[in-house]
Amino acid sequence: LALALLDSMYSSANEDTRRFYFWVVRQSLPRSDGYYSEGVGVTGTSYLFERPSEFISLWENCISQEERHRWVYHLAAEQGIESVGFPADSVLSTYRDSLDLVTKDLPADLIAARDSLLVQIGDELRVLKKNE
């Protein structure tokens, strides 16, 4: 059932429904276990890359600093899982290039939020990679 929350957040045809489930999912993050955490990372990454304006706006404007950090952890952890054995800086370079491609037309305020998100993901990924 918990994974159904992720699916509703990511794949609902209605933006208001996706926003609601983003709020619900962010409430669940402090209690996420390994299985659910991986689902959050996978789904969150897909959401970010397929609906970047929406995800970045929600991340920047609709949740607290602590909740933003939780999202950063899950996004970085997904990159860590996908890139075992590769150095953090090369993974981040590829990640940044991919995100730049899908966010080139964002408004300036969301570009700044995207850049902040990238810096925080980079910081978190470096920590995770040290423990690899």
Side-chain angles (χ1 to χ4, degrees), residues 24-53:
V24 171
V25 168
R26 65 109 177 145
Q27 295 282 69
S28 71
L29 295 181
R31 295 173 296 285
S32 63
D33 62 10
Y35 178 73
Y36 182 68
S37 289
E38 189 171 345
V40 170
V42 168
T43 305
T45 298
S46 294
Y47 193 177
L48 172 60
F49 279 86
E50 292 182 28
R51 292 185 176 93
S53 180

CSV table of all heavy atoms in Angstrom, one decimal, residues 24-53:
chain,number,residue,atom,x,y,z
A,24,VAL,N,1.6,13.8,1.1
A,24,VAL,CA,1.4,12.6,1.9
A,24,VAL,C,2.8,11.8,1.9
A,24,VAL,O,3.2,11.4,3.0
A,24,VAL,CB,0.3,11.7,1.3
A,24,VAL,CG1,0.3,10.3,1.9
A,24,VAL,CG2,-1.0,12.3,1.4
A,25,VAL,N,3.4,11.7,0.8
A,25,VAL,CA,4.7,11.0,0.8
A,25,VAL,C,5.7,11.7,1.7
A,25,VAL,O,6.4,11.0,2.5
A,25,VAL,CB,5.2,10.8,-0.6
A,25,VAL,CG1,6.7,10.3,-0.7
A,25,VAL,CG2,4.4,9.8,-1.4
A,26,ARG,N,5.8,13.0,1.7
A,26,ARG,CA,6.8,13.6,2.5
A,26,ARG,C,6.5,13.4,4.0
A,26,ARG,O,7.4,13.4,4.8
A,26,ARG,CB,6.9,15.1,2.2
A,26,ARG,CG,5.7,15.9,2.5
A,26,ARG,CD,5.8,16.9,3.6
A,26,ARG,NE,4.6,17.6,3.8
A,26,ARG,CZ,4.2,18.0,4.9
A,26,ARG,NH1,4.8,17.7,6.0
A,26,ARG,NH2,3.1,18.7,5.0
A,27,GLN,N,5.3,13.2,4.3
A,27,GLN,CA,4.9,12.8,5.7
A,27,GLN,C,5.5,11.4,6.1
A,27,GLN,O,5.7,11.1,7.3
A,27,GLN,CB,3.4,12.8,5.9
A,27,GLN,CG,2.8,14.2,5.8
A,27,GLN,CD,3.0,15.0,7.0
A,27,GLN,OE1,4.1,15.5,7.3
A,27,GLN,NE2,1.9,15.3,7.7
A,28,SER,N,5.6,10.6,5.1
A,28,SER,CA,6.0,9.2,5.4
A,28,SER,C,7.5,9.0,5.4
A,28,SER,O,8.0,8.0,5.9
A,28,SER,CB,5.4,8.3,4.3
A,28,SER,OG,6.0,8.5,3.0
A,29,LEU,N,8.3,10.0,4.9
A,29,LEU,CA,9.7,9.8,4.8
A,29,LEU,C,10.5,9.5,6.1
A,29,LEU,O,11.4,8.7,6.1
A,29,LEU,CB,10.3,11.0,4.1
A,29,LEU,CG,9.9,11.2,2.6
A,29,LEU,CD1,10.6,12.4,2.0
A,29,LEU,CD2,10.1,10.0,1.8
A,30,PRO,N,10.1,10.2,7.2
A,30,PRO,CA,10.8,9.9,8.4
A,30,PRO,C,10.7,8.4,8.9
A,30,PRO,O,11.6,8.0,9.6
A,30,PRO,CB,10.2,10.8,9.5
A,30,PRO,CG,9.5,11.9,8.7
A,30,PRO,CD,9.1,11.3,7.4
A,31,ARG,N,9.7,7.8,8.5
A,31,ARG,CA,9.5,6.4,8.9
A,31,ARG,C,9.8,5.3,7.8
A,31,ARG,O,9.4,4.2,8.0
A,31,ARG,CB,8.0,6.2,9.4
A,31,ARG,CG,7.8,7.1,10.7
A,31,ARG,CD,6.3,7.1,11.1
A,31,ARG,NE,5.4,7.6,10.1
A,31,ARG,CZ,5.2,8.9,9.9
A,31,ARG,NH1,5.9,9.8,10.6
A,31,ARG,NH2,4.3,9.4,9.0
A,32,SER,N,10.4,5.8,6.8
A,32,SER,CA,10.7,4.8,5.7
A,32,SER,C,11.7,3.8,6.0
A,32,SER,O,12.7,4.1,6.6
A,32,SER,CB,11.0,5.6,4.4
A,32,SER,OG,12.2,6.3,4.6
A,33,ASP,N,11.5,2.6,5.6
A,33,ASP,CA,12.5,1.5,5.8
A,33,ASP,C,13.2,1.3,4.4
A,33,ASP,O,13.0,2.1,3.5
A,33,ASP,CB,11.8,0.2,6.2
A,33,ASP,CG,10.8,-0.3,5.2
A,33,ASP,OD1,10.7,0.2,4.0
A,33,ASP,OD2,10.1,-1.2,5.5
A,34,GLY,N,14.1,0.4,4.4
A,34,GLY,CA,14.9,0.2,3.2
A,34,GLY,C,14.1,0.0,1.9
A,34,GLY,O,14.4,0.6,0.9
A,35,TYR,N,13.1,-0.9,2.0
A,35,TYR,CA,12.3,-1.2,0.8
A,35,TYR,C,11.6,0.0,0.3
A,35,TYR,O,11.6,0.4,-0.9
A,35,TYR,CB,11.3,-2.4,1.1
A,35,TYR,CG,10.4,-2.7,0.0
A,35,TYR,CD1,10.9,-3.4,-1.1
A,35,TYR,CD2,9.1,-2.4,0.0
A,35,TYR,CE1,10.0,-3.8,-2.1
A,35,TYR,CE2,8.2,-2.7,-1.0
A,35,TYR,CZ,8.7,-3.4,-2.1
A,35,TYR,OH,7.9,-3.8,-3.1
A,36,TYR,N,10.9,0.7,1.2
A,36,TYR,CA,10.2,1.9,0.9
A,36,TYR,C,11.1,3.0,0.4
A,36,TYR,O,10.8,3.7,-0.5
A,36,TYR,CB,9.3,2.3,2.0
A,36,TYR,CG,8.4,3.5,1.7
A,36,TYR,CD1,7.4,3.5,0.8
A,36,TYR,CD2,8.6,4.7,2.4
A,36,TYR,CE1,6.6,4.6,0.6
A,36,TYR,CE2,7.8,5.8,2.1
A,36,TYR,CZ,6.8,5.8,1.2
A,36,TYR,OH,6.0,6.8,1.0
A,37,SER,N,12.2,3.1,1.1
A,37,SER,CA,13.2,4.2,0.8
A,37,SER,C,13.7,4.1,-0.6
A,37,SER,O,13.9,5.1,-1.3
A,37,SER,CB,14.4,4.1,1.8
A,37,SER,OG,14.0,4.6,3.0
A,38,GLU,N,14.0,2.8,-1.0
A,38,GLU,CA,14.4,2.7,-2.4
A,38,GLU,C,13.3,3.1,-3.4
A,38,GLU,O,13.6,3.7,-4.4
A,38,GLU,CB,14.8,1.2,-2.7
A,38,GLU,CG,15.5,1.0,-4.0
A,38,GLU,CD,16.1,-0.3,-4.2
A,38,GLU,OE1,16.3,-1.0,-3.2
A,38,GLU,OE2,16.4,-0.6,-5.4
A,39,GLY,N,12.1,2.7,-3.1
A,39,GLY,CA,11.0,3.2,-3.9
A,39,GLY,C,10.8,4.7,-4.0
A,39,GLY,O,10.6,5.2,-5.1
A,40,VAL,N,11.1,5.3,-2.9
A,40,VAL,CA,11.0,6.8,-2.8
A,40,VAL,C,12.1,7.4,-3.7
A,40,VAL,O,11.9,8.3,-4.5
A,40,VAL,CB,11.2,7.3,-1.4
A,40,VAL,CG1,11.4,8.8,-1.4
A,40,VAL,CG2,10.0,7.0,-0.5
A,41,GLY,N,13.3,6.8,-3.7
A,41,GLY,CA,14.4,7.3,-4.5
A,41,GLY,C,14.1,7.1,-6.0
A,41,GLY,O,14.4,8.0,-6.8
A,42,VAL,N,13.6,5.9,-6.3
A,42,VAL,CA,13.4,5.6,-7.7
A,42,VAL,C,12.2,6.5,-8.3
A,42,VAL,O,12.4,7.2,-9.3
A,42,VAL,CB,13.0,4.1,-7.9
A,42,VAL,CG1,12.4,3.9,-9.3
A,42,VAL,CG2,14.2,3.2,-7.7
A,43,THR,N,11.2,6.6,-7.5
A,43,THR,CA,10.0,7.4,-7.9
A,43,THR,C,10.3,8.9,-7.9
A,43,THR,O,9.9,9.6,-8.8
A,43,THR,CB,8.8,7.0,-7.1
A,43,THR,OG1,8.5,5.6,-7.1
A,43,THR,CG2,7.5,7.8,-7.6
A,44,GLY,N,11.0,9.3,-6.9
A,44,GLY,CA,11.3,10.7,-6.8
A,44,GLY,C,12.2,11.2,-7.9
A,44,GLY,O,12.1,12.2,-8.5
A,45,THR,N,13.2,10.3,-8.3
A,45,THR,CA,14.1,10.6,-9.4
A,45,THR,C,13.3,10.7,-10.7
A,45,THR,O,13.5,11.6,-11.5
A,45,THR,CB,15.2,9.6,-9.5
A,45,THR,OG1,16.0,9.6,-8.3
A,45,THR,CG2,16.1,9.8,-10.7
A,46,SER,N,12.4,9.8,-10.9
A,46,SER,CA,11.6,9.8,-12.1
A,46,SER,C,10.7,11.0,-12.2
A,46,SER,O,10.6,11.7,-13.2
A,46,SER,CB,10.7,8.5,-12.2
A,46,SER,OG,11.5,7.4,-12.4
A,47,TYR,N,10.1,11.4,-11.0
A,47,TYR,CA,9.3,12.6,-10.9
A,47,TYR,C,10.1,13.8,-11.3
A,47,TYR,O,9.7,14.7,-12.0
A,47,TYR,CB,8.7,12.6,-9.5
A,47,TYR,CG,7.6,13.6,-9.3
A,47,TYR,CD1,7.0,13.6,-8.0
A,47,TYR,CD2,7.1,14.5,-10.2
A,47,TYR,CE1,6.0,14.5,-7.7
A,47,TYR,CE2,6.1,15.4,-9.9
A,47,TYR,CZ,5.5,15.4,-8.7
A,47,TYR,OH,4.5,16.3,-8.4
A,48,LEU,N,11.3,13.9,-10.7
A,48,LEU,CA,12.2,15.1,-10.9
A,48,LEU,C,12.5,15.2,-12.4
A,48,LEU,O,12.5,16.3,-12.9
A,48,LEU,CB,13.4,14.9,-10.0
A,48,LEU,CG,14.5,16.0,-10.3
A,48,LEU,CD1,14.0,17.4,-10.0
A,48,LEU,CD2,15.8,15.6,-9.5
A,49,PHE,N,12.9,14.1,-13.0
A,49,PHE,CA,13.3,14.2,-14.4
A,49,PHE,C,12.2,14.3,-15.4
A,49,PHE,O,12.3,14.8,-16.5
A,49,PHE,CB,14.2,13.0,-14.7
A,49,PHE,CG,15.6,13.3,-14.3
A,49,PHE,CD1,16.0,12.9,-13.0
A,49,PHE,CD2,16.6,13.8,-15.1
A,49,PHE,CE1,17.3,13.2,-12.5
A,49,PHE,CE2,17.9,14.1,-14.7
A,49,PHE,CZ,18.2,13.8,-13.4
A,50,GLU,N,11.0,13.8,-15.1
A,50,GLU,CA,9.9,13.8,-16.0
A,50,GLU,C,9.0,15.1,-15.8
A,50,GLU,O,8.3,15.5,-16.8
A,50,GLU,CB,9.1,12.6,-15.9
A,50,GLU,CG,9.9,11.4,-16.5
A,50,GLU,CD,9.2,10.1,-16.5
A,50,GLU,OE1,7.9,10.1,-16.6
A,50,GLU,OE2,9.8,9.0,-16.4
A,51,ARG,N,8.9,15.6,-14.6
A,51,ARG,CA,8.1,16.8,-14.3
A,51,ARG,C,9.0,17.7,-13.4
A,51,ARG,O,8.6,18.0,-12.3
A,51,ARG,CB,6.9,16.4,-13.5
A,51,ARG,CG,5.9,15.6,-14.3
A,51,ARG,CD,4.6,15.4,-13.5
A,51,ARG,NE,3.6,14.7,-14.3
A,51,ARG,CZ,3.4,13.4,-14.4
A,51,ARG,NH1,4.2,12.6,-13.6
A,51,ARG,NH2,2.5,12.8,-15.1
A,52,PRO,N,10.1,18.2,-14.0
A,52,PRO,CA,11.1,18.9,-13.2
A,52,PRO,C,10.5,20.2,-12.6
A,52,PRO,O,10.8,20.5,-11.4
A,52,PRO,CB,12.2,19.2,-14.1
A,52,PRO,CG,11.7,19.0,-15.5
A,52,PRO,CD,10.6,18.0,-15.4
A,53,SER,N,9.7,20.9,-13.4
A,53,SER,CA,9.2,22.2,-12.8
A,53,SER,C,8.3,21.9,-11.6
A,53,SER,O,8.4,22.6,-10.6
A,53,SER,CB,8.4,22.9,-14.0
A,53,SER,OG,7.9,24.1,-13.5
